[in-house]
């Protein structure tokens, strides 16, 4: 049973965004962001039931409209007056693990090359034509699939290109994606391609929560009766959508309203002009939905609240949001002098809860989270782009020079008290850290890997259907047999055994596990700010390279898994910002905890290769007695024996350096870099110096 759309409780912004796209698919789709268990999927799946039915050419796999069939339809050409049938609007779901062929369709290269037949099997884009295409957990979909999906949604056409053979078909659909931000964000470039975005959360009003539970129980107890009880409202809602679609072409966007649209977009400093187009289309759709023939200021306000929050992001750690005061001021400044302000209470919620209008308060529009990557509130010395290297450890919990004792510290010294969390320095562009060798993990941008996309590095005999033809290898395999096959004219005679599949090499995403020393030995506030800024920079790099990340910290007497491996780089950045420092340095405990985390992850995701990044000065201290430095080296040897690729970031500073982090790197079999060597600019300078010396 499909849960009735009219029975979805609350979340008025989500309902309105879906309805505006149902009225005008040109708005560009909806991205729904929210925590788990907030009925995101339920709302989307229920939408299909209230969409007007579609009339299609009978027998057409691509759902052509009999009134205006696609002239290039592969099942056509369709003659005027062709037999037609009416069916409900389709709701097609795209699984996260879908292949490119499953999305856009597959072309049988074997038949095309050996028989000259263009055999095409339509994909999900064809099935969703004139309906809804739903992508759950769109943030976990591979980037190249998201690109294909959004291109088709923007162009209304799907293209399949294989070795010089091209197929195209119409693909116009309402695109809806849902995601849980805790599992990772979409890249800003992909976010911008969604027309509208809404944030959803579970209601905090006990009465509303009770109503949700009550309706869920009623639906489970009697699915047919529950649906029948809402059938009247469903029919009325479907009729209102159809009426709004009919009214849409006649809605007027006056010059004054257009100036308000552009003024709002300029006030929020959005990139490009897509925001202006989407906001204008959404305002027109809202006017049609409300039964108006002309766009008003209220329509512009509603459209801006849905179309602009996700376009204000400046880095991956900024939360989407919209400031109501800025919106009101922009609308007021662009209002003609003789245009009176709208009356009190005349807002976007005119339709009531079942009409999909937003509530009075709207979404959480507190503006972007100052979070990470912005002004940290520190001095100029603490916010420079390059990681500063303070000259001493005057505020450290352990002596700087430490003439005696293991790990450079004195075992009998009292542990340093915990210090408040230090804000990180501004992030900078880092060099690319890679896992050696060639992997076979999920597509990404870090380490070399065999993949479905990338450069051709060889050819193999295909185990199944040929998806990437290696033409030179195929020709070489077929050439010796042409006379035996009776070839007398131009062109090769090919058989199945001649075909060769191209072997491609691209990049994969890795599991980047950070092990961060948060003990008192890490020194002054300025030094810890530099360390956090460096780790934040590496987190930003991991976000851009589509890595999974985890965070282990150690201080005091033990290590803590601050963040289990996740796609949410934002969560790792938040944990890092709030990380207090102080106490002793249980380095061995940190390394052993990392070994355990990687062991479990290897079972869960065996194809994803890990990269261990240890951020420390190499010191190891603990309670009185004990070979703490020896324990750390033995723990490092355990990681080295499991063949974990690692990098040690040496945080030691000051005039006297003990080289303990470098020694740890040797035990791990890892590359060791100083803080000031992490930047991409530092790497470029090293390369230039090496070339000059050569």
């Amino acid at each position: 049973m499909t849960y009735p759309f009219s029975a979805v409780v609350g979340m008025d912004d989500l309902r309105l965004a879906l309805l505006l796209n149902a009225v005008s698919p040109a708005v560009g789709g909806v991205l729904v962001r929210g925590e788990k268990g907030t009925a995101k999927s339920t709302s989307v799946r229920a939408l299909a039931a209230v969409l007007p039915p579609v009339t299609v050419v009978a027998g057409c796999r691509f759902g052509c409209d009999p009134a205006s069939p696609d002239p290039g339809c592969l099942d056509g050409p369709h003659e005027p007056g062709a037999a037609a049938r009416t069916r409900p609007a389709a709701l097609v779901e795209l699984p996260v693990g879908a292949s490119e062929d499953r999305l856009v369709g597959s072309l049988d290269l074997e038949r095309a090359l050996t028989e000259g037949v263009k055999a095409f099997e339509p994909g999900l884009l064809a099935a969703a034509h004139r309906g809804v295409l739903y992508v759950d957990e769109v943030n976990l979909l591979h980037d190249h699939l998201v690109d294909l999906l959004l291109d088709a949604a923007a162009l209304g056409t799907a293209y399949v290109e294989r070795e010089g053979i091209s197929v195209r078909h119409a693909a116009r659909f309402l695109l809806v994606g849902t995601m849980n931000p805790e599992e990772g964000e979409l890249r800003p470039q992909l976010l911008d391609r969604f027309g509208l975005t809404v944030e959803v959360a579970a209601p905090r009003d006990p009465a509303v929560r009770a109503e949700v539970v009550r309706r869920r129980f009623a639906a489970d107890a009697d699915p047919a009766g529950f649906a029948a009880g809402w059938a009247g409202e469903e029919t009325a809602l479907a009729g209102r959508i159809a009426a709004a679609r009919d009214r849409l072409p006649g809605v007027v966007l006056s010059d004054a309203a257009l100036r308000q649209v552009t003024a709002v977009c300029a006030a929020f400093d959005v990139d490009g002009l897509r925001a202006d187009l989407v906001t204008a289309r959404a305002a027109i759709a809202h006017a049609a939905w409300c039964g108006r023939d002309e766009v008003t200021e209220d329509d512009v306000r509603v459209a801006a609240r849905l179309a602009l929050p996700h376009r204000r992001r400046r880095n991956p750690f900024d939360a989407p949001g919209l400031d109501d005061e800025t919106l009101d001021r922009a609308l007021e400044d662009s209002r003609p002098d003789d245009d009176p302000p709208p009356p009190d209470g005349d807002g976007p919620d005119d339709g009531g809860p079942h009409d999909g209008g937003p509530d009075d308060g709207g979404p959480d529009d507190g503006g972007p989270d100052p979070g990470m990557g912005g002004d940290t509130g520190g001095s100029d010395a603490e916010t420079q782009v390059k990681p500063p290297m303070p000259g001493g450890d005057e505020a450290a919990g352990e002596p700087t020079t430490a003439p005696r004792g293991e790990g450079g510290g004195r075992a009998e010294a009292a542990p340093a008290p915990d210090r408040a969390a230090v804000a990180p320095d501004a992030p900078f562009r880092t060099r690319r850290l890679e896992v050696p060798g060639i992997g076979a993990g999920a597509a990404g941008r870090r380490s070399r890997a065999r993949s479905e996309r990338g450069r051709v590095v060889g050819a193999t005999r295909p185990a199944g259907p040929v998806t990437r033809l290696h033409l030179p290898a195929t020709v070489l395999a077929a050439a010796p047999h042409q006379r035996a096959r009776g070839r007398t004219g131009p062109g090769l005679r090919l058989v199945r055994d001649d075909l060769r599949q191209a072997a491609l090499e691209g990049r994969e995403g890795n599991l980047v596990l950070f092990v961060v020393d948060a003990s008192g030995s890490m020194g002054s506030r300025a030094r810890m700010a530099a360390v956090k800024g460096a780790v934040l920079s590496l987190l930003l790099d991991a976000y851009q390279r589509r890595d999974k990340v985890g965070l282990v910290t150690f201080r005091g007497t033990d290590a803590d898994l601050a963040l289990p491996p996740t796609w949410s780089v934002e969560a790792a950045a938040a944990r890092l910002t709030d990380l207090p420092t102080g106490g002793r340095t249980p380095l061995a405990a940190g390394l052993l905890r990392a070994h355990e985390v990687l062991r479990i992850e290897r079972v869960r995701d065996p194809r994803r290769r890990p990269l261990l990044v240890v951020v420390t000065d190499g010191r190891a201290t603990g309670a009185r007695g004990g070979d703490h430095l020896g324990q750390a080296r033995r723990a490092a040897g355990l990681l080295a024996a499991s063949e974990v690729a690692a990098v040690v970031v040496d945080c030691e500073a000051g005039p006297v350096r003990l080289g303990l982090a470098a020694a740890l790197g040797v035990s791990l079999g890892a590359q060791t870099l100083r803080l000031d060597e992490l930047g991409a600019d530092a790497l470029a300078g090293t390369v230039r110096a090496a070339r000059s010396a050569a």
Side-chain angles (χ1 to χ4, degrees), residues 436-672:
I438 300 179
R445 297 183 176 183
R446 184 170 297 280
S447 305
R448 296 170 58 196
R450 302 292 188 202
S451 66
E452 296 181 356
R453 300 172 68 86
R455 62 187 183 91
V456 178
V457 295
T460 61
R461 287 180 177 271
V466 179
T467 56
R468 291 289 186 274
L469 182 72
H470 193 292
L471 188 57
T474 299
V475 172
L476 288 174
H481 308 290
Q482 295 305 296
R483 181 173 296 178
R485 293 174 185 170
R487 174 192 169 191
T488 58
L492 291 175
R493 291 196 172 187
L494 300 176
V495 297
R496 162 75 182 177
D497 290 341
D498 297 331
L499 303 181
R500 296 294 183 268
Q501 176 84 6
L504 306 180
E505 182 180 301
R507 294 277 175 178
E508 67 178 358
N510 298 110
L511 165 60
V512 182
L513 181 63
F514 294 92
V515 180
V516 180
D517 185 348
S519 68
S521 73
M522 292 298 285
S524 66
R525 291 180 61 85
R527 182 176 169 196
M528 197 61 202
V531 170
K532 286 188 175 183
V535 178
L536 176 64
S537 303
L538 292 170
L539 282 170
L540 180 59
D541 182 69
Y543 169 86
Q544 293 168 342
R545 300 192 188 283
R546 306 299 292 165
D547 293 320
K548 205 173 181 179
V549 297
L551 178 63
V552 172
T553 62
F554 59 93
R555 55 187 288 270
T557 61
D558 202 359
D560 176 45
L561 180 57
L563 184 71
T566 176
W567 294 105
S568 180
V569 176
E570 295 80 1
R575 302 291 197 282
L576 179 70
T577 303
D578 298 335
L579 178 65
T581 60
R584 301 189 187 275
T585 313
L587 177 57
L591 296 176
L592 289 174
R593 190 61 182 271
H595 180 270
E596 179 65 13
V597 171
L598 294 177
R599 183 188 66 80
I600 295 173
E601 283 300 308
R602 186 174 284 118
V603 175
R604 290 176 175 171
D605 192 357
R607 296 181 60 193
R608 187 174 296 275
R609 297 189 294 164
L611 175 63
L612 181 68
V613 179
V614 183
V615 184
T616 181
D617 58 8
R619 301 184 187 189
T621 62
R624 183 185 299 275
D627 182 13
H628 302 295
L629 191 57
Q631 293 172 7
R633 288 173 178 166
R634 287 190 290 275
L638 188 63
L639 283 163
S642 61
E643 299 182 346
V644 174
V647 175
V648 175
V649 179
D650 184 359
C651 301
E652 192 173 26
V656 178
R657 302 195 181 195
L658 304 176
L660 297 173
L664 175 65
V666 172
S667 299
L668 281 169
Q671 178 186 14
T672 301

Side-chain angles (χ1 to χ4, degrees), residues 54 56 60-63 87-93 102-105 120 122-133 158 169-173:
V54 296
V56 299
C60 178
R61 297 174 297 167
F62 302 89
R87 61 168 174 79
L91 172 66
V92 177
E93 296 191 37
R102 182 76 181 102
L103 175 63
V104 300
F120 179 72
L124 296 177
L125 293 181
H129 180 47
R130 304 175 68 198
V132 180
L133 182 59
H169 63 81
R172 294 183 296 276
F173 47 83

Side-chain angles (χ1 to χ4, degrees), residues 60-73:
C60 178
R61 297 174 297 167
F62 302 89
C64 282
D65 185 352
S68 58
D70 180 8
C73 178

